[in-house]
Amino acid sequence: MQIPVMPLRTVNGNIVTSRITISGTSVAMTENTMGYNDLMSSLSDVLGRDVPMLGVDVDGVRKKDLSGELLRKIRSKHELWLMTGIRNAGDVMDAFHGSASRIIVPYHFTSDALLREIIELSDSCIPALFAERDDVYAKGKKKDLRSCIRTLTNMNFRKMIVFDAAGGSVRWDGLHEFTDVLVPYAATVGDAEALHKEEFGDVVVSAADLFRNASKRSEIGSCMLP
């Protein structure tokens, strides 16, 4: 399954989206934005109803906090996964006051001890690992990627999203033993298809790219995508 990801923020009371950019642990959106509802309406023509949507609260991630206005306003006809500035179990409780069905927790904002508290509170949380080569960004020094995956699996986390923090540095072909747990981020639809060939069942990919790719193969008209 290809899961669309949208970077999100509120501007003058409206939610806008664009393409997502990843650099280290920094998550941002490009300048040419469009309305979140417009893109969601377009995606409804190309996505199955059982496909979740991953929204990234770019301001919340930047500030290591929750964007209250975004949490109040965001709605989705699809299952909504939301990554925001989660640090502890209290933040998780606050985040679930919105419409998200799963909360994505940036691993480098928290600790293994706090993640144990989080998974005890809710099994609807998914850690997001920002990896560079064989390492994962964490509080303090980096950790070994494989050891981190095993530790989180032993905590009963059944899914982990992995963002390549350096663009092409992660050797996905060396992570076959974790294909049932890891959900890699793919920069393009082509990269997503390559990851499927590496036996990763679920892959996160740009919502705009997913729509464009589907538009090329069908009669669906394109909107003003970022």
Side-chain angles (χ1 to χ4, degrees):
M1 179 166 56
Q2 294 184 357
I3 301 169
V5 56
M6 297 184 190
L8 305 170
R9 66 160 44 105
T10 54
V11 177
N12 298 324
N14 297 310
I15 302 176
V16 299
T17 186
S18 181
R19 291 182 178 277
I20 191 169
T21 62
I22 307 289
S23 179
T25 58
S26 174
V27 181
M29 56 196 300
T30 54
E31 293 182 359
N32 50 330
T33 63
M34 70 176 298
Y36 160 76
N37 289 330
D38 293 333
L39 183 52
M40 281 302 299
S41 177
S42 299
L43 281 171
S44 66
D45 294 328
V46 299
L47 293 180
R49 292 298 296 270
D50 60 336
V51 177
M53 191 278 287
L54 170 58
V56 179
D57 171 12
V58 292
D59 290 332
V61 171
R62 177 176 55 82
K63 296 183 297 183
K64 299 183 181 179
D65 201 355
L66 311 182
S67 296
E69 185 178 15
L70 178 65
L71 290 175
R72 290 191 301 271
K73 288 179 176 291
I74 190 168
R75 296 290 184 272
S76 175
K77 293 181 180 179
H78 292 262
E79 180 180 328
L80 175 62
W81 298 6
L82 183 65
M83 183 165 78
T84 184
I86 301 294
R87 297 156 297 178
N88 52 48
D91 289 339
V92 169
M93 292 178 66
D94 290 339
F96 274 127
H97 286 158
S99 59
S101 54
R102 290 183 181 266
I103 299 299
I104 312 304
V105 183
Y107 183 74
H108 56 287
F109 285 179
T110 185
S111 66
D112 290 346
L114 290 172
L115 282 166
R116 288 187 183 93
E117 294 179 7
I118 286 172
I119 191 66
E120 288 176 5
L121 175 68
S122 174
D123 61 1
S124 293
C125 294
I126 300 174
L129 312 179
F130 287 73
E132 186 171 348
R133 297 181 178 85
D134 296 325
D135 296 319
V136 173
Y137 283 90
K139 273 193 169 183
K141 63 181 181 180
K142 294 178 182 177
K143 295 184 177 181
D144 177 72
L145 175 58
R146 287 172 166 271
S147 296
C148 186
I149 295 168
R150 292 191 182 100
T151 297
L152 292 171
T153 301
N154 289 337
M155 289 186 203
N156 292 323
F157 286 103
R158 297 300 174 228
K159 290 291 181 185
M160 300 158 215
I161 296 174
V162 181
F163 293 95
D164 189 331
S169 70
V170 176
R171 289 291 305 272
W172 302 110
D173 57 353
L175 297 170
H176 283 161
E177 64 187 288
F178 304 117
T179 53
D180 58 335
V181 175
L182 300 187
V183 183
Y185 165 71
T188 67
V189 172
D191 290 341
E193 292 171 351
L195 284 165
H196 285 313
K197 291 179 180 178
E198 293 288 348
E199 300 181 357
F200 290 94
D202 295 329
V203 179
V204 171
V205 66
S206 163
D209 281 355
L210 274 178
F211 179 81
R212 278 210 173 95
N213 188 63
S215 299
K216 291 176 182 177
R217 296 178 302 175
S218 71
E219 298 302 317
I220 301 170
S222 179
C223 59
M224 296 297 292
L225 291 177

